[in-house]
Amino acid sequence: MAVISRFLSRAPSLANISEGVQQEAVDLEAGLSAAEQQSAQEAAEALRQVVFKGSGGGTAHVELAELLEELCSDLSKVDALRKSKGLAPLDETERQARAIFTISRYLFRNEKPGATARWLGNLTSSGVRTGLATFMATMARNLGAFAMQQCLNYADALAQEGQIAAANPATQPVSEGSNPPYSALCASTEGATTLANIFGGLMLGTMASLHLVGALRDLRSGAANFESLLSRYGQVSLDALLIAIAINNSSWESLPSWLTAAGIYSAGRGVSSALLERKTNVGEYSPPALALAAASYSVAQFGGTMAQNALGLWGGATADSIRTADRYTEARRSALEITEGRHPWGANAGHAALNASLEVFDELQYLAVNRAFQSAKAKRQLRTILSTKDTTPQTRIARLEEISQMHAAALRGMIDYARINPDASNEALEAAGANAVREYRNAKLEGVRMSLARTPASERMLEERANRALIELASLGYRFTPEAPADGPGKASKHNRLIAAYVAQSLEKLKQDQPLEISTLSTCAGWQRLGGRLVNQFLNVEPYRQSLLHALYSALSLLSLRVRKEQVPNDKQRVLGVNNAVEASWTAGLTLLLYPQLKRGVQSRQEPEAQRETAARRKARMDELALDIAQIADLADAVRQPGSWERITEDLASKAVANAVGRPIRIRHNMQRNERTMLARERGAQSPVEIVNDGAGYRGIVENQIRETQPDGDSFFRAVLMNMHQNADVPDHAIADLRQRTSQELLNNARDYVQFLTPPSARTP
């Protein structure tokens, strides 16, 4: 904590300014004179200038063009630091690792400020997680649908050839002796229909089962509500209705291939989404944003369908090579031609790329629209709560909380800067604090930011980081007072709000600093997290995706889309005109209708009761920890005072002194062999410090002789120094130095001394 001590000694003015603004905002509510109100308004306006206009040194934006410069700067700083400590410069491997980490901050971690860097990170994360997964899932679904449709078309063509041969015995079937594709079931219409019914029924049953199990799980965990249950039941009912209509119109035979495609596609998307969890700054999903996103995605689907048909990207069940009739001339194909048909890999890849681009667009635009609404709301709220004209109780409380957040951000920025540059000037520290406030502002008001998820921080890591933050604040004089009112104007209430804000920001920074989760999936904890996400994905997301695709394919199967010869002047031109527009319009309309159900069905789920209980327990633990650190900080203050002993116990003092001097403390009681030794944290080969406690006070041992000490509050420390230096004459400055070292040890390692405090159950509330 030497850095904190040096930081404290300079008393950076930004902390005082921030606390002054906080005090003025509070005092304003108590009724000030006109001059004082004007002063408070000027202070609040200065704060708004920092928040909204970013005044005060430097820009917060780092554009893509500065990436190389930043890489070189980072490496130079590291080399300079290593040189100052007598270490060799970075070798080539270390430089490459450093460069890769810096680039990953731009791309996969998306930590750099600035719109360019942020959108580059958004595109990278969405492209890897959604784009690549959609591409692979679309390729797989087209292969599955191709195989199913080839089997059905082969059986149909073979049956027609048999009918022609039966009507004209002199005519030999064209495909006589050909081998059916994939399975002997494809050799007959009945067998192929049975196979199709099995796959189609399996896909429908899977979707309905996932909805049912998901609903039961939500009810059991407390995550279900009326909207989520109604959405699930509505999706199943809509699917059943559309499929019943398709069966009634004799359109069922065209559905199994598409239902198979939907199942394969959902499985691929579900597994990839669970493997690559995403992290966004979107915290609210509003109905207006959902409506805009649905309209935007519907337009994109209209354009995508038009492009697919215009470019002839027909893969899967619609592949030209397995059609029973030529797409343009309507000439019948033989069963032999169908079984020899090859999958159109080029068209499949083109269709997969088009679909992937649409899904990446949907993910980004949906998050961006919701974040835009959220940011606009945050800006309005920030302007309102920082306005001195609004004096309602709700605004006053919000203002106190917001200024505490800014105060905490400023302190955190200055402490972090002082930690790496202990000799920084007050001006540099103030600049670091102001920059931290702007970063806090940017994180709250910026547009959408998406990245790959981090590994969750363990409870122990969270508690250790909170412990460190509380110790830093205790060093600065901030104490947690549980009885102080949360919205009170007093110093204790202000300190409590600042402590809560500072700890919360420190924990958020810890979560941000964790490694990417994909890098820890091979561990036992990683497999457990993956299993939990797979369950959630397939019970809460994929049933809705399957329902949407089922409804879309069922509705499209009712359309009669035929190519008229006048639309095809030559074989190279693809289907254009009214058929394409009709299909695209149906696709867009159904998307507009079903898209909100896909999103709202997932978002309407409340957080499980277990998560709420965990959050409550964590908050209670943080409050208890804050109280512990506050008590340790008070004891550290008492230890620092000359002659103070009333609040100090022998166990606490001996343990702290042992750790401060790095030697065990052995205390003899009543000069008998009844003795107890308090070991130091780092056990070395040094002999223990021996003192005597005969009930009347502490005495030192010098050259195996017991020496008297003055019976005052310093006797324990004087006895320790007597034995350490084998000198009965202990000056006051040596006692003061030992007290200072012991006090600093208490602050530096407060968690080690909580055991010496009064148990929480016995504390006064």
Side-chain angles (χ1 to χ4, degrees):
M1 301 297 287
V3 170
I4 300 297
S5 301
R6 299 180 68 177
F7 174 74
L8 260 177
S9 66
R10 288 194 293 271
S13 60
L14 186 61
N16 299 329
I17 293 172
S18 180
E19 189 165 358
V21 172
Q22 184 180 20
Q23 183 61 54
E24 291 190 44
V26 175
D27 292 344
L28 185 61
E29 307 303 327
L32 303 176
S33 65
E36 289 172 325
Q37 289 185 11
Q38 179 65 28
S39 175
Q41 290 175 359
E42 291 175 356
E45 178 61 27
L47 186 57
R48 282 196 295 274
Q49 291 289 328
V50 173
V51 173
F52 289 107
K53 299 183 180 179
S55 60
T59 175
H61 295 284
V62 180
E63 300 299 333
L64 179 61
E66 299 176 357
L67 174 59
L68 182 60
E69 179 181 349
E70 181 178 343
L71 281 173
C72 297
S73 175
D74 283 351
L75 295 174
S76 299
K77 290 178 181 178
V78 173
D79 279 342
L81 180 62
R82 291 173 67 91
K83 183 178 180 181
S84 67
K85 295 183 177 296
L87 300 175
L90 294 172
D91 60 27
E92 189 63 27
T93 301
E94 292 171 327
R95 288 178 177 274
Q96 291 176 3
R98 183 85 182 181
I100 291 173
F101 175 74
T102 302
I103 294 174
S104 74
R105 292 180 63 195
Y106 264 88
L107 302 180
F108 301 110
R109 298 179 67 89
N110 200 1
E111 295 176 346
K112 302 303 296 181
T116 302
R118 176 164 53 84
W119 274 105
L120 180 62
N122 292 343
L123 288 170
T124 301
S125 298
S126 184
V128 170
R129 181 180 183 271
T130 300
L132 183 60
T134 302
F135 181 88
M136 300 302 295
T138 303
M139 292 284 289
R141 91 180 190 189
N142 284 345
L143 288 171
F146 178 90
M148 175 65 71
Q149 196 63 45
Q150 187 178 29
C151 177
L152 292 171
N153 290 351
Y154 174 84
D156 182 56
L158 197 63
Q160 288 199 16
E161 291 179 18
Q163 293 174 3
I164 294 174
N168 187 1
T171 303
Q172 293 294 326
V174 176
S175 303
E176 183 176 7
S178 62
N179 295 321
Y182 312 112
S183 171
L185 291 174
C186 301
S188 66
T189 305
E190 294 77 9
T193 302
T194 300
L195 187 64
N197 290 339
I198 291 174
F199 274 88
L202 181 63
M203 295 300 106
L204 291 175
T206 299
M207 181 273 300
S209 299
L210 290 176
H211 268 307
L212 177 60
V213 175
L216 292 175
R217 181 173 180 265
D218 289 348
L219 287 170
R220 183 177 179 182
S221 66
N225 57 28
F226 176 77
E227 185 178 359
S228 67
L229 295 176
L230 181 63
S231 177
R232 287 185 185 275
Y233 299 148
Q235 288 291 313
V236 175
S237 300
L238 179 61
D239 284 359
L241 175 62
L242 289 173
I243 290 172
I245 294 174
I247 294 175
N248 185 61
N249 292 349
S250 300
S251 300
W252 165 255
E253 62 184 16
S254 63
L255 280 180
S257 299
W258 295 105
L259 298 180
T260 301
I264 296 174
Y265 180 74
S266 173
R269 287 293 303 272
V271 171
S272 63
S273 297
L275 280 172
L276 292 174
E277 184 79 355
R278 78 178 178 195
K279 176 180 179 294
T280 75
N281 59 355
V282 180
E284 299 178 10
Y285 297 90
S286 62
L290 178 59
L292 284 177
S296 176
Y297 186 56
S298 298
V299 172
Q301 281 291 340
F302 178 88
T305 304
M306 293 283 288
Q308 179 184 354
N309 288 334
L311 297 174
L313 301 179
W314 295 306
T318 60
D320 285 341
S321 60
I322 59 171
R323 290 175 64 90
T324 56
D326 187 272
R327 187 183 295 272
Y328 306 110
T329 64
E330 297 185 357
R332 298 291 303 182
R333 284 199 178 99
S334 67
L336 179 61
E337 290 175 321
I338 292 174
T339 195
E340 290 178 348
R342 295 293 177 262
H343 187 270
W345 290 101
N348 192 356
H351 177 219
L354 177 62
N355 197 32
S357 64
L358 290 175
E359 292 303 303
V360 169
F361 166 77
D362 172 47
E363 182 174 50
L364 292 177
Q365 64 95 22
Y366 178 67
L367 293 175
V369 170
N370 279 280
R371 180 62 185 179
F373 276 83
Q374 182 181 341
S375 298
K377 179 181 177 181
K379 290 178 182 178
R380 291 193 301 269
Q381 290 176 342
L382 197 56
R383 287 190 172 94
T384 299
I385 64 179
L386 291 181
S387 172
T388 57
K389 298 179 182 179
D390 190 340
T391 59
T392 59
Q394 295 84 354
T395 302
R396 182 178 66 85
I397 295 173
R399 182 183 304 135
L400 295 176
E401 295 290 346
E402 187 63 30
I403 294 178
S404 294
Q405 291 286 347
M406 295 180 183
H407 190 182
L411 283 177
R412 187 170 52 83
M414 289 188 288
I415 290 175
D416 289 345
Y417 189 82
R419 185 177 290 114
I420 63 175
N421 190 359
D423 298 322
S425 63
N426 283 359
E427 291 76 11
L429 289 173
E430 290 180 21
N435 186 61
V437 173
R438 283 193 293 272
E439 289 181 356
Y440 165 79
R441 181 277 315 268
N442 290 339
K444 190 170 185 177
L445 304 180
E446 68 179 355
V448 62
R449 185 182 291 273
M450 183 176 68
S451 65
L452 298 183
R454 312 309 200 255
T455 300
S458 66
E459 289 294 327
R460 180 179 179 182
M461 294 170 65
L462 291 171
E463 186 164 318
E464 288 179 350
R465 179 61 62 90
N467 181 77
R468 191 179 80 179
L470 290 166
I471 290 173
E472 291 172 347
L473 291 175
S475 301
L476 294 168
Y478 295 99
R479 303 287 193 273
F480 180 75
T481 308
E483 61 271 14
D487 58 343
K491 181 178 181 180
S493 296
K494 290 192 298 181
H495 282 192
N496 283 359
R497 289 191 293 269
L498 174 63
I499 289 171
Y502 190 94
V503 171
Q505 292 180 18
S506 298
L507 295 183
E508 186 60 32
K509 184 64 168 58
L510 171 66
K511 296 175 183 177
Q512 184 74 12
D513 291 341
Q514 295 303 298
L516 294 179
E517 191 181 41
I518 188 66
S519 65
T520 62
L521 281 181
S522 59
T523 63
C524 181
W527 282 110
Q528 292 177 349
R529 290 195 304 269
L530 178 59
R533 285 205 304 271
L534 283 171
V535 172
N536 289 329
Q537 183 73 23
F538 281 96
L539 293 184
N540 299 327
V541 179
E542 296 312 318
Y544 291 97
R545 195 193 310 276
Q546 292 181 27
S547 298
L548 186 149
L549 293 173
H550 290 177
L552 178 65
Y553 295 148
S554 299
L556 290 176
S557 69
L558 303 178
L559 290 177
S560 178
L561 298 177
R562 294 182 179 275
V563 180
R564 298 194 302 273
K565 292 183 178 180
E566 57 268 21
Q567 293 179 254
V568 190
N570 58 66
D571 291 344
K572 294 182 180 180
Q573 186 172 343
R574 298 299 185 182
V575 176
L576 300 173
V578 65
N579 282 342
N580 193 3
V582 169
E583 183 180 357
S585 299
W586 270 74
T587 302
L590 288 168
T591 300
L592 185 61
L593 175 66
L594 300 173
Y595 181 87
Q597 297 301 317
L598 173 64
K599 299 298 184 181
R600 293 173 61 188
V602 179
Q603 293 156 9
S604 62
R605 300 175 67 256
Q606 302 168 353
E607 64 177 351
E609 186 68 27
Q611 293 183 15
R612 292 194 292 270
E613 292 177 356
T614 299
R617 287 197 303 270
R618 182 174 296 173
K619 183 180 184 304
R621 176 57 187 144
M622 290 305 168
D623 290 344
E624 180 182 318
L625 184 62
L627 182 57
D628 291 340
I629 300 302
Q631 289 191 343
I632 293 295
D634 289 341
L635 287 174
D637 287 342
V639 168
R640 193 179 297 112
Q641 303 302 319
S644 174
W645 187 256
E646 292 79 6
R647 300 174 56 191
I648 307 171
T649 64
E650 180 180 281
D651 288 345
L652 174 69
S654 56
K655 183 67 174 178
V657 170
N659 288 327
V661 301
R663 293 175 61 182
I665 302 295
R666 179 177 297 165
I667 304 176
R668 298 181 184 176
H669 292 275
N670 300 323
M671 291 307 299
Q672 305 299 320
R673 296 310 298 172
N674 180 18
E675 61 184 31
R676 49 199 307 271
T677 302
M678 195 66 72
L679 298 176
R681 183 180 300 107
E682 298 180 1
R683 301 180 185 181
Q686 297 188 35
S687 61
V689 176
E690 295 188 82
I691 63 176
V692 175
N693 180 7
D694 58 4
Y698 294 96
R699 291 183 288 174
I701 300 178
V702 178
E703 296 179 353
N704 295 323
Q705 298 293 321
I706 298 176
R707 300 298 182 92
E708 297 292 335
T709 63
Q710 298 178 18
D712 55 18
D714 289 330
S715 64
F716 176 85
F717 300 97
R718 187 177 290 108
V720 168
L721 291 170
M722 281 183 178
N723 186 258
M724 286 181 61
H725 301 294
Q726 290 295 297
N727 190 341
D729 185 14
V730 179
D732 290 341
H733 69 81
I735 297 175
D737 179 69
L738 180 58
R739 279 183 172 272
Q740 177 63 34
R741 292 166 63 187
T742 306
S743 174
Q744 198 65 51
E745 163 63 25
L746 287 171
L747 287 176
N748 290 355
N749 303 282
R751 189 177 180 183
D752 294 345
Y753 303 98
V754 172
Q755 58 182 311
F756 300 107
L757 297 176
T758 305
S761 59
R763 295 174 188 167
T764 302

